[in-house]
Amino acid sequence: MSRNTQHEEQARQVKAALPGYLAVRETAAAVLLAAGKDIGLRLDERDARDLAHAVVDAIHKGAEVRGIAFACDVADMELAAHHRYLLPRAKAEAEAGDPLARRVLHDLEKYVEGAAKLRDELVERLARVGGQWMAERQKVVAVVPMPSPPEGQHRAKAAA
């Protein structure tokens, strides 16, 4: 099995193992319920589930937007590397009359054209999804963090 085939298989397995949105909500509800019991909170299952779903819903779109922004960054780096390192050398060799370099240059230019198109689609998606996220985010009322209880206080409540 070639190295690329191994990477493709590993990537396929990772993608298959990634939890979906609903699975993340269910996991968060289970974790919140268990954590609540550990610290002595009296949350029934419905309250824990509602609270966990609200938390996951609040961070999900931001995480999605961060992923799209990361893909845009990778596309930008790929294009920059081609423009800085590969294309200038291929152009110089093609201008020098090397027939193989002309074919390579043509292929590189086609690749860069495709990568630029993909980057433009990612940027459009980032603008659209990110704009929705920013509009939703402005609707959220400012949350004031609660002060942390003194160390050990939660254990005293749990013991009581």
Side-chain angles (χ1 to χ4, degrees):
M1 188 182 279
S2 74
R3 190 169 182 89
N4 283 345
T5 306
Q6 287 176 334
H7 288 158
E8 287 291 331
E9 179 59 24
Q10 288 173 339
R12 187 193 61 73
Q13 290 173 359
V14 168
K15 287 179 183 179
L18 286 173
Y21 175 69
L22 294 177
V24 170
R25 290 177 86 191
E26 293 306 312
T27 301
V31 168
L32 183 62
L33 190 58
K37 287 179 182 177
D38 285 349
I39 62 173
L41 292 177
R42 294 189 177 120
L43 290 174
D44 65 18
E45 189 173 334
R46 181 179 172 88
D47 290 341
R49 183 175 311 283
D50 290 346
L51 183 57
H53 290 184
V55 169
V56 170
D57 291 348
I59 62 174
H60 178 263
K61 187 60 86 171
E64 180 183 1
V65 172
R66 169 52 51 205
I68 298 169
F70 176 74
C72 288
D73 291 346
V74 170
D76 285 341
M77 288 186 294
E78 180 75 11
L79 287 171
H82 275 76
H83 284 291
R84 184 171 180 185
Y85 301 110
L86 298 177
L87 285 172
R89 181 176 174 192
K91 285 179 182 178
E93 290 177 5
E95 288 172 0
D98 184 354
L100 178 61
R102 280 191 223 121
R103 289 192 305 260
V104 169
L105 176 60
H106 175 73
D107 290 343
L108 278 175
E109 288 173 338
K110 287 292 184 187
Y111 176 83
V112 168
E113 184 180 307
K117 182 177 178 183
L118 176 63
R119 182 215 173 265
D120 292 345
E121 290 174 8
L122 287 168
V123 168
E124 182 274 328
R125 180 168 291 173
L126 179 61
R128 183 174 35 83
V129 175
Q132 292 169 352
W133 171 72
M134 289 175 65
E136 291 170 6
R137 202 174 120 186
Q138 290 176 351
K139 294 177 188 175
V140 176
V141 177
V143 177
V144 178
M146 294 178 59
S148 298
E151 189 65 33
Q153 181 179 347
H154 65 280
R155 289 190 180 91
K157 285 183 181 179

